[in-house]
Amino acid sequence: MSLSGAAAVGSSRNLRRAVEFGKTHVVRPKGKHQATIVWLHGLGDNGSSWSQILETLPLPNIKWICPTAPSQPISLFGGFPSTAWFDVVDLTENGPDDVEGLDVAAAHVANLLANEPADIKLGVGGFSMGAGTSLYSATCFALGKYGNGNPYPINLSAVIGLSGWLPCAKTLTGKLEEEQIKNRAASLPILVCHGKGDDVVPFKFGEKSSQALLSHGFKKTTFKAYGALGHYTIPQETEDVCAWLTSTLGLEEMLALFLSSSSSYLTLSRSVTLHLSRRTTLSSLTMSTNLSTHAYAGNPLKSKTPKSTDTFSPSSAFESLKALIPQIPNHPTPSPDFKVLPFSKGRPLVFSSGGGDASTTSPIWHLGWISLADCKGMLASRGVDLDENSLVYLGPKVEEDLVCWAVDVSEEEEDGVVSGLESRKLCFVELRTLMVAADWVDQRAMDELAIAGHARALLEWHNVSRFCGSCGGTNVAKEAGRRKQCSNTACGKRVYPRVDPVVIMLVIDRENDRALLSRQSRYVPRMWSCLAGFIEPGESLEEAVRRETWEETGIEVEDVVYHSSQPWPVGPSSTPCQLMLGFFAFAKTLDINVDKEELEDAQWHSREDVKKALAFAEYRKAQRTAASKIEQICKGVEKSKSLTTDFNVESGELAPMFIPGPFAIAHHLISTWVSHSQGSKTLPLRNLCYSPRSEPLWRPPSSDDSLGQLRSHSPPHSDRKSNLVMVLSDSLPARSRPFPVDSPVTTSPPATIWLIWIKLRKRLDPKQVLSFLLSS
Ligand SMILES: [Zn+2]
């Protein structure tokens, strides 16, 4: 590493550069895709750890690609292998540069960016030696070629280097004179950040690097110094990076998202939490009223109900549909156009995309919409005529000039009608599996889930309301399937889609700071949840909460406070759509007397225990497992009709209990209570934001923690990095061991370990430290 430049290294390894890069993690944009940035980790780290940090940034328009460096022998480590973008010989100003390694790394970055759409702005950034690679890429971009002379193919719009340095700085002298090169250098925005407390890559390296960039004509270089920052990142720095990227790349501001009522509050709150956590508290966030959308709520097709005279209205669309069907397939394209979502036995048709190759995150499912012509053709192949009355109106997508319908093909599926669909990689999947597989911070996924839930509820209701409850006559669909009517003219009774209200309540023991959780025998092992029950005729919601709690647990409840509600279209077909009404209920008596016919068990749980039960990592894992299963089913690998193993996923350390995932209202009732500050007698009652990565999972590390304990936490990223480093560093002098280790350290020590090792280098033999690390 040199600012002054020196001979290239590599002579000691003639067989080098059979490089194999590690796993690449992709963070998809939560909003409109405007820019793609490759982010490079530091020495010994990996792409995964940074992807988790980048995912939490309030930059919904950026796609992040986080590759993992190849594992290679590091001269600095006496030849011990570590994940690294290039070789490092010494951490001095006159150390040699590994130009060959830098070229390989820069070319890998360029390859990752090469396939992005033409209108997407491209950038590269990184931490420590990742920053070195980024800044080196900036010079390649300006020069139009790599160090080895090959042309550099990417048009960069932003470069970021945190806690790093500019390799090969001195060799730039005289190379940037040509007009074209000068212009490219002058136009490239570069952000260099460095902490004055950095004892791994000294502050002066960052400072000199930015000066070198400016003196070589990179006029848009910005340098930011941070007082007490060491070799890690802090919220102030990430906020500066976010602000710089937003203005440099002309990204849509978060405010625009704020004002969009259709945005998922989960997505928002996560970003908001990050921004507000250090300045103010969540409870002061008053804008959340419109943002609290549970899974299955916020159906985009139902957001605007057209008037009956509108061409998108149920009656108008039905008339167009009726006229169109006989003309298929020899018909002109109608306006609005129609598409159909088939269901079989309550399962929507879906297909899976993404995943598969090792370079992306978990696959994504999409609803399997088919055209009206395909729908008619599919049924005709089984001798069935498409009847407009068998289609159920779901709603319009006005901006796409489209009206959406659902159709139940359960009977046809038994006749094998789906064989044609399977060849197109379409398959029917249980809605619950789709729910678990949906990324709850992905607005598109939650929109599709809501559409599927609404459609399933309507079709299930059609199934269970075939006959008139008054006279036994046949019910026929009316208003494009939005209601039914008895065909017996003497009766003519009208029936409407059924919704079953259910109260769900978290019972709280205020005095002892505990919550009442229960288990039903049908739950998967280890799962505990809130009490719940159907409302009886002639009963208020508050009465239902008190009665159910008393019946099931013998506990008497005083105050009952409403929280929020959630449509639940994944219950049994006899209740096609439950409406879950969520409450906090404050206990008056504490003795539990479980009704064993209703519940398997009910217990008071301390706040600490419930915190641990918010097994965020398990939700993510279950999400990925379910997403992969859907992909397998769609590929025809697995024909299983139900997937019950959503939570029986492999995990190194299973929590003793967990609560339902973020797709269920129970999760939000419980996490709201858990995240509210202890000792306060009142709960923030309305529309609370929930952040999947927020405080409930985290406590500040202490110097008594082992490394394994520290790692098992999932704290807000910046705190984790700084505290981990702080705690370990502080604990060093007092301990006889180099640092506390109680779990195997991976063969690639993370950056933190590397930092510790650097600190210890003066006192211990490096090989001794590393062999200790690897053997522990
Ligand atoms: Zn009737």
PDB file of all heavy atoms in Angstrom, residues 122-134:
ATOM      1  N   LEU A 122     -24.000   4.103 -12.380  1.00  0.00           N
ATOM      2  CA  LEU A 122     -23.146   3.069 -11.795  1.00  0.00           C
ATOM      3  C   LEU A 122     -22.125   3.673 -10.842  1.00  0.00           C
ATOM      4  O   LEU A 122     -21.633   4.782 -11.077  1.00  0.00           O
ATOM      5  CB  LEU A 122     -22.424   2.304 -12.909  1.00  0.00           C
ATOM      6  CG  LEU A 122     -23.337   1.711 -13.996  1.00  0.00           C
ATOM      7  CD1 LEU A 122     -22.489   1.065 -15.082  1.00  0.00           C
ATOM      8  CD2 LEU A 122     -24.311   0.705 -13.403  1.00  0.00           C
ATOM      9  N   GLY A 123     -21.821   2.936  -9.784  1.00  0.00           N
ATOM     10  CA  GLY A 123     -20.831   3.419  -8.839  1.00  0.00           C
ATOM     11  C   GLY A 123     -20.108   2.281  -8.166  1.00  0.00           C
ATOM     12  O   GLY A 123     -20.487   1.119  -8.285  1.00  0.00           O
ATOM     13  N   VAL A 124     -19.030   2.636  -7.471  1.00  0.00           N
ATOM     14  CA  VAL A 124     -18.293   1.635  -6.705  1.00  0.00           C
ATOM     15  C   VAL A 124     -17.863   2.287  -5.397  1.00  0.00           C
ATOM     16  O   VAL A 124     -17.550   3.474  -5.354  1.00  0.00           O
ATOM     17  CB  VAL A 124     -17.081   1.078  -7.506  1.00  0.00           C
ATOM     18  CG1 VAL A 124     -16.184   2.184  -8.000  1.00  0.00           C
ATOM     19  CG2 VAL A 124     -16.296   0.074  -6.691  1.00  0.00           C
ATOM     20  N   GLY A 125     -17.935   1.516  -4.322  1.00  0.00           N
ATOM     21  CA  GLY A 125     -17.527   2.035  -3.024  1.00  0.00           C
ATOM     22  C   GLY A 125     -16.983   0.908  -2.180  1.00  0.00           C
ATOM     23  O   GLY A 125     -17.123  -0.271  -2.528  1.00  0.00           O
ATOM     24  N   GLY A 126     -16.355   1.267  -1.074  1.00  0.00           N
ATOM     25  CA  GLY A 126     -15.839   0.203  -0.235  1.00  0.00           C
ATOM     26  C   GLY A 126     -15.232   0.719   1.043  1.00  0.00           C
ATOM     27  O   GLY A 126     -15.105   1.935   1.263  1.00  0.00           O
ATOM     28  N   PHE A 127     -14.882  -0.243   1.884  1.00  0.00           N
ATOM     29  CA  PHE A 127     -14.312   0.045   3.187  1.00  0.00           C
ATOM     30  C   PHE A 127     -12.897  -0.519   3.241  1.00  0.00           C
ATOM     31  O   PHE A 127     -12.654  -1.647   2.777  1.00  0.00           O
ATOM     32  CB  PHE A 127     -15.187  -0.605   4.262  1.00  0.00           C
ATOM     33  CG  PHE A 127     -14.665  -0.447   5.665  1.00  0.00           C
ATOM     34  CD1 PHE A 127     -14.839   0.743   6.351  1.00  0.00           C
ATOM     35  CD2 PHE A 127     -14.002  -1.488   6.280  1.00  0.00           C
ATOM     36  CE1 PHE A 127     -14.345   0.896   7.639  1.00  0.00           C
ATOM     37  CE2 PHE A 127     -13.509  -1.347   7.580  1.00  0.00           C
ATOM     38  CZ  PHE A 127     -13.689  -0.152   8.258  1.00  0.00           C
ATOM     39  N   SER A 128     -11.967   0.273   3.766  1.00  0.00           N
ATOM     40  CA  SER A 128     -10.589  -0.171   3.957  1.00  0.00           C
ATOM     41  C   SER A 128      -9.959  -0.610   2.627  1.00  0.00           C
ATOM     42  O   SER A 128      -9.894   0.182   1.705  1.00  0.00           O
ATOM     43  CB  SER A 128     -10.560  -1.295   5.004  1.00  0.00           C
ATOM     44  OG  SER A 128      -9.266  -1.496   5.470  1.00  0.00           O
ATOM     45  N   MET A 129      -9.565  -1.873   2.482  1.00  0.00           N
ATOM     46  CA  MET A 129      -8.967  -2.250   1.193  1.00  0.00           C
ATOM     47  C   MET A 129     -10.024  -2.271   0.087  1.00  0.00           C
ATOM     48  O   MET A 129      -9.678  -2.166  -1.089  1.00  0.00           O
ATOM     49  CB  MET A 129      -8.212  -3.587   1.265  1.00  0.00           C
ATOM     50  CG  MET A 129      -9.084  -4.797   1.261  1.00  0.00           C
ATOM     51  SD  MET A 129      -8.231  -6.376   0.966  1.00  0.00           S
ATOM     52  CE  MET A 129      -6.565  -5.994   0.653  1.00  0.00           C
ATOM     53  N   GLY A 130     -11.292  -2.363   0.460  1.00  0.00           N
ATOM     54  CA  GLY A 130     -12.378  -2.204  -0.516  1.00  0.00           C
ATOM     55  C   GLY A 130     -12.394  -0.769  -1.037  1.00  0.00           C
ATOM     56  O   GLY A 130     -12.644  -0.515  -2.223  1.00  0.00           O
ATOM     57  N   ALA A 131     -12.089   0.180  -0.130  1.00  0.00           N
ATOM     58  CA  ALA A 131     -11.980   1.577  -0.546  1.00  0.00           C
ATOM     59  C   ALA A 131     -10.791   1.742  -1.479  1.00  0.00           C
ATOM     60  O   ALA A 131     -10.855   2.476  -2.466  1.00  0.00           O
ATOM     61  CB  ALA A 131     -11.841   2.480   0.679  1.00  0.00           C
ATOM     62  N   GLY A 132      -9.707   1.035  -1.155  1.00  0.00           N
ATOM     63  CA  GLY A 132      -8.526   1.073  -2.025  1.00  0.00           C
ATOM     64  C   GLY A 132      -8.875   0.637  -3.437  1.00  0.00           C
ATOM     65  O   GLY A 132      -8.506   1.280  -4.422  1.00  0.00           O
ATOM     66  N   THR A 133      -9.622  -0.460  -3.546  1.00  0.00           N
ATOM     67  CA  THR A 133     -10.032  -0.968  -4.861  1.00  0.00           C
ATOM     68  C   THR A 133     -10.958   0.027  -5.566  1.00  0.00           C
ATOM     69  O   THR A 133     -10.868   0.219  -6.780  1.00  0.00           O
ATOM     70  CB  THR A 133     -10.745  -2.324  -4.700  1.00  0.00           C
ATOM     71  OG1 THR A 133      -9.927  -3.164  -3.876  1.00  0.00           O
ATOM     72  CG2 THR A 133     -10.981  -2.989  -6.033  1.00  0.00           C
ATOM     73  N   SER A 134     -11.860   0.660  -4.799  1.00  0.00           N
ATOM     74  CA  SER A 134     -12.783   1.633  -5.391  1.00  0.00           C
ATOM     75  C   SER A 134     -12.030   2.822  -5.967  1.00  0.00           C
ATOM     76  O   SER A 134     -12.278   3.245  -7.104  1.00  0.00           O
ATOM     77  CB  SER A 134     -13.767   2.156  -4.331  1.00  0.00           C
ATOM     78  OG  SER A 134     -14.473   1.110  -3.772  1.00  0.00           O
TER      79      SER A 134
END
